[in-house]
Amino acid sequence: QVTLVESGGGLVQAGGSLRLSCVASGRNFNSYGMGWFRQAPGKGREFVASISWRGDTDAYADAVAGRFTIARDNAKNTVYLQMNSLKPEDTAVYYCARGRTAQATSAWGQYDYWGQGTQVTVSS
């Protein structure tokens, strides 16, 4: 059984920063790609960032490229999302997910385990 627990969300002013963490339980964390997705009120879940099993490949949505950075620490079974220069449109519930393969991918259907989410609110 795999569980993912996100933390680090909160309320921040526009232009500020937050770092989200996601701790995974279960075996073989370092065998799988990991991703971050988000869902704003009234909208569907959208891809934010992903990282391969070794952390040598990553991918970002256009809306966050250059502002967000995904990273992982396989020794701690943890994946991070550093969010800088936050905008009100970044307000959403952020979810981490474990990929079905070792690669980084933006396709939500390629993820099989999801966390419960953490709220990020950016005020203008």
Side-chain angles (χ1 to χ4, degrees), residues 23-118:
V23 179
S25 68
R27 299 171 62 183
N28 301 324
F29 171 79
N30 60 2
S31 297
Y32 298 94
M34 297 293 294
W36 286 96
F37 291 75
R38 67 186 182 186
Q39 188 166 16
K43 296 187 178 181
R45 193 168 296 191
E46 65 173 359
F47 169 73
V48 175
S50 61
I51 189 166
S52 61
W53 68 283
R54 287 193 303 184
D56 56 348
T57 303
D58 56 22
Y60 298 91
D62 290 344
V64 308
R67 299 187 297 122
F68 291 11
T69 302
I70 189 170
R72 65 189 297 162
D73 184 339
N74 286 340
K76 296 182 179 179
N77 279 17
T78 301
V79 62
Y80 305 96
L81 185 68
Q82 177 67 43
M83 305 186 296
N84 299 329
S85 302
L86 283 161
K87 304 175 181 180
E89 51 263 45
D90 294 319
T91 295
V93 178
Y94 283 72
Y95 300 88
C96 74
R98 194 195 78 170
R100 298 181 188 274
T101 73
Q103 307 310 313
T105 175
S106 62
W108 70 268
Q110 291 299 312
Y111 292 85
D112 53 4
Y113 290 96
W114 295 80
Q116 82 290 347
T118 185

Side-chain angles (χ1 to χ4, degrees), residues 5-27:
V5 180
E6 302 98 335
S7 63
L11 173 64
V12 64
Q13 289 188 332
S17 297
L18 284 174
R19 188 177 81 155
L20 305 184
S21 299
C22 171
V23 179
S25 68
R27 299 171 62 183

